[in-house]
Amino acid sequence: MNRRDFLRRSAAVGAGGLVLSNQAMEVRVGSRRPNIVFILADDFGWRDVSYDVGYGHSGSSYYETPNIDKLAAAGMRFTDAYAACPVCSPTRASIMTGKHPARIHLTDWINGHNRPDAKLTIPDWTHYMRLEEVTIAEALKAAGYTTGHVGKWHLGDDPVYWPENQGFDVNKGGWKAGSPGGSGGYFVPYGNPRLQDGPPGEYLTDRLGVEAAGFIEQNKDRPFFLYMAHYAVHTPLMAKKDIIDKYKAKPSTPEHNNATYAAMIQSMDEAVGRIMDKLEELKIADDTIVFFMSDNGGLLGKTSNAPLRGGKAQAYEGGIREPMIIKWPGVVKPGSLCSEPVISTDFYPTILEMVSLPAKPKQHIDGVSLVPLLRQKGSLNRDAIYWHYPHYHPLNPYGPFGAIRKGRWKLIEYYEDMNVELYNLEDDLGEQNDLAQVQPARRDELRDLLRAWRQSVNAQMPSPNPNYTG
């Protein structure tokens, strides 16, 4: 047994994990656990779908997402679903580990930004997902699942941290890059060591859909976990000409008017459709649970998250609130709606409970199973959810921050001056009316909770920059 395998096995046992024998696997697979398909979009905003997003707001009338809409109609839509971070890598780590990015010190996209002239010096954070973490893929693989990763990984530059070393049997396209890195961008040549180039003119999003469908086809007779993590709709904005032309000819809206971005969304939606069609074709749709989520808010300047304020990299709702759907045949009522706040750390314990595996409370310590919500039999009884982003980002003019949401109330604390803002999201979804001075008791309560939480997870804080001159 090599060191990585030893660390993983030790971590699994230490986290209350269950390593099944081959015989136990065969017995359990004989009764067939459900398949899991997890679809993660990149930089896909709350209003980038065309279905009704809730709170009296329709989706986009410019973008077209018929396959995602169909998935929503067959499952449960979450109106208050959050990414654990307003940028990609930390949210992806939270899904894989069930831990908050602040706890594992992976708090920015890899490799992040640095501003040596800023007021604060960012902490010495971790630029990869540690192998000691027992990923959801490893937990499912130990229970007999075949595991496949298709698309973006972005959880470490060194290949030792890539999907094949984090519990995935198959890796198509996952490596260090956070966006298409080849000379062709979204078109061949991809320049991706984990994805062979296709024929000239092939489009990456299409190809990933084909790879995902192929994985399903190859594993249709055994339980599988497919993590379909799109590069789309991350920049560079590149799409197929015929689809761009379609949107150029279509009436736009003040919020949504970028034809290339709309075309990228359509191709991503078509890839979702390819997966769903393959499940139907193989007659395993009723045996498959499907998740859909985005890793952070939409990129301002390319799309609009209105009525939400802000976008990617920011503490406001536009940076962290995501479209989210769960389809669980035979359990989730089709077309149902949930407005209880949930966050990306919740997926790990949810999946374990869905497939009748024991919880790993020391591993997914920051997640809560969503099964009561999915069964519509109670609430989560969670006190609050939190964010911690001790970094600077060109898309965030406000600087490093922390945030907490407790019920209808949300508080943001900016670390440069420790100034706080307080919003009542029930009355002010767009965060336009700062109540920090009007509601001092509420402000102080949430600020104290946020600071106590940071201490409890050993969150790294930025420090005064001795080279800052103002």
Side-chain angles (χ1 to χ4, degrees), residues 205-224:
T205 306
D206 294 344
R207 169 68 178 280
L208 296 180
V210 170
E211 294 288 355
F215 174 84
I216 293 170
E217 177 86 49
Q218 293 161 14
N219 296 284
K220 63 183 184 295
D221 297 323
R222 54 192 171 201
F224 61 80

Side-chain angles (χ1 to χ4, degrees), residues 395-446:
L395 299 174
N396 179 6
Y398 311 101
F401 67 84
I404 174 175
R405 176 170 174 183
K406 179 178 170 64
R408 73 179 69 178
W409 296 96
K410 179 180 172 186
L411 178 134
I412 304 169
E413 183 173 49
Y414 288 107
Y415 296 151
E416 282 196 339
D417 56 10
M418 304 310 284
N419 181 56
V420 296
E421 299 175 4
L422 177 68
Y423 299 100
N424 181 342
L425 295 178
E426 187 172 289
D427 300 332
D428 181 23
L429 189 63
E431 297 170 290
Q432 298 299 310
N433 186 19
D434 179 6
L435 300 175
Q437 302 308 313
V438 180
Q439 296 263 3
R442 183 80 60 182
R443 175 200 65 204
D444 293 347
E445 174 201 4
L446 294 184

Side-chain angles (χ1 to χ4, degrees), residues 266-283:
Q266 177 170 324
S267 290
M268 191 264 289
D269 180 79
E270 289 172 354
V272 172
R274 187 183 292 272
I275 289 172
M276 303 308 294
D277 289 346
K278 179 58 69 172
L279 295 173
E280 292 288 348
E281 173 195 325
L282 298 173
K283 302 187 186 318

